[in-house]
Amino acid sequence: MNRTVSTSGRSRIVIETGTPRPEATTIVERKGLGHPDTLADHLAERLSQAYSRYTQETFGAVLHHNFDKLALLGGASRVEYGAGEMKAPVRVLVNGRAARTCGDSEIPVQELAEQTVRAFFAERLPELADHLDLRFHITANSSPGAVITDADAPERTRWFAPRSVEDLRERRALIANDTSIGTGWAPHSPFEAFVREVADAFSGVTPFTREHPWCGSDVKVMGYYDGEHADVVLCVPQKSRFVPDRAAYLANKEAVLAECRRIVVDHLPGTPVDFRLNVRDVPQKDELYLTYTGSSIESGDEGVVGRGNRVNGLITPLRPMNMEGASGKNPVYHVGKLYNLAAARLAHRLHEETGGHAEVHMVSATGEPLDQPWRVLVRLSRPDAHVETVHSLVLETLAGFPALTQELVQEGVLLS
């Protein structure tokens, strides 16, 4: 392994070449679109986007906010063959902070949040749209660090109550809000891509789900691959009103398994794969993964931001990863969002450039320039990688945060 160390501004950039490739053994998980944790992640991000767009269009800047502590508390439902109903609503805890004013102008924070929540569930789980209990815990409290003296009030006290957009520090310089880590790697292995394909085939709008309206979206796939053989455990719910009896439920499970085998042929040809589907089912007792809405959030389960898929859409304990919940964070200067997304994208560019495995780790120091991470570590499997080109791609990525912010705000990028 070779190591090159350089500095750029306040950043120390380390590039290692000839590092070991990942082992063949792979453990990978993906939670589908209707999983409570995915719902929480995606809803938090929708809230950030809605607030960001409103304030940018109204004031010319994204005002300070974060919705990354959102939680969903499961309701109660009753299911039977051919029917079902909600018995108690899902509680949506919109937790976070957001500026409620800019100068003399009021920002309709709660109205924006309510509209966004209701529109999200109408799209993602329409059966729940009329069964939501919304609770708002959105403050405009100042961050710690403002010491009151006889002088003017510290700038920090105006972060969530700016007199105008000129009070926003990021208008003058983009500063990292926290000490945190962003991690990315590439490429996905064929098995990792396969697990994602399986989860999406049953939880998204696909030919299979259009043909089979009984298929619910609270899908979870866990895969293990040892380099020769793969084992997959998956959960795929069914919607009760489309399932007239036990026999229909069991037949639908066979349809799911048939689709899984088709995906194997397309994505892992020649690889033996064993599937276990809805392993908690006890058919003779009618204990089945049968739901009214297609998601366990209808009945007791909970969802919390940051507990689901990472920014790259997977949960991969044998790969580098971190615990940041990126969804719902401010897209202007929150490193827990920006560094993870930037690291993932840079890793893919480095893989395309070198043809080998690439890892990128960006470490921020709170209060320092956003585009000058405290540490940047790049690891490349190719021993002959051109270090100068790699260094240039790192600097190009670091210079691109303003454009990345606009992409997150305007294009609605899903982070998991």
Side-chain angles (χ1 to χ4, degrees), residues 155-408:
E155 177 188 78
R156 193 176 296 247
T157 63
R158 296 192 290 270
W159 284 1
F160 284 86
R163 296 166 298 187
S164 73
V165 294
E166 300 310 315
D167 274 342
L168 304 178
R169 181 177 59 178
E170 59 270 24
R171 302 277 285 186
R172 301 182 294 279
L174 283 173
I175 302 298
N177 78 301
D178 197 3
T179 301
S180 188
I181 305 170
T183 298
W185 50 268
H188 289 172
S189 71
F191 183 67
E192 287 159 343
F194 164 75
V195 166
R196 181 165 192 152
E197 179 68 20
V198 171
D200 293 352
F202 302 117
S203 75
V205 179
T206 67
F208 184 90
T209 59
R210 283 193 291 264
E211 183 180 349
H212 302 95
W214 47 260
C215 187
S217 60
D218 188 357
V219 174
K220 184 174 181 179
V221 181
M222 180 75 73
Y224 183 97
Y225 178 64
D226 64 8
E228 298 180 356
H229 180 275
D231 290 289
V232 175
V233 177
L234 69 157
C235 297
V236 178
Q238 297 182 30
K239 294 185 178 183
S240 58
R241 66 186 185 280
F242 299 108
V243 182
D245 52 36
R246 184 196 300 172
Y249 177 91
L250 296 176
N252 292 341
K253 287 181 67 173
E254 291 304 316
V256 170
L257 291 170
E259 180 69 3
C260 289
R261 290 189 285 269
R262 185 196 66 77
I263 297 172
V264 169
V265 172
D266 288 346
H267 291 268
L268 289 177
T271 300
V273 184
D274 289 333
F275 292 96
R276 300 177 67 201
L277 171 63
N278 295 0
V279 293
R280 286 178 58 181
D281 284 355
V282 185
Q284 62 272 26
K285 295 183 178 180
D286 291 307
E287 295 179 6
L288 310 169
Y289 195 11
L290 194 64
T291 66
Y292 172 59
T293 66
S295 173
S296 62
I297 197 65
E298 74 182 39
S299 184
D301 207 350
E302 297 86 21
V304 180
V305 171
R307 296 184 68 253
N309 306 319
R310 303 296 89 192
V311 164
N312 66 4
L314 302 173
I315 301 169
T316 50
L318 301 188
R319 300 276 207 170
M321 55 188 283
N322 62 61
M323 297 304 296
E324 280 285 358
S327 296
K329 293 185 185 301
N330 188 308
V332 179
Y333 54 80
H334 274 215
V335 289
K337 170 179 282 184
L338 293 168
Y339 278 16
N340 274 291
L341 188 54
R345 292 185 174 186
L346 177 57
H348 280 282
R349 291 191 67 186
L350 292 172
H351 161 65
E352 292 170 354
E353 178 69 29
T354 67
H357 178 74
E359 284 181 23
V360 177
H361 306 268
M362 297 181 181
V363 187
S364 65
T366 185
E368 296 196 352
L370 182 71
D371 61 356
Q372 298 176 39
W374 175 56
R375 295 289 188 272
V376 178
L377 171 62
V378 175
R379 288 177 166 171
L380 303 169
S381 64
R382 288 293 297 266
D384 57 349
H386 195 262
V387 172
E388 288 79 10
T389 300
V390 173
H391 189 267
S392 295
L393 288 173
V394 171
L395 295 182
E396 181 182 327
T397 297
L398 297 179
F401 287 120
L404 182 56
T405 292
Q406 288 308 307
E407 181 183 349
L408 287 163

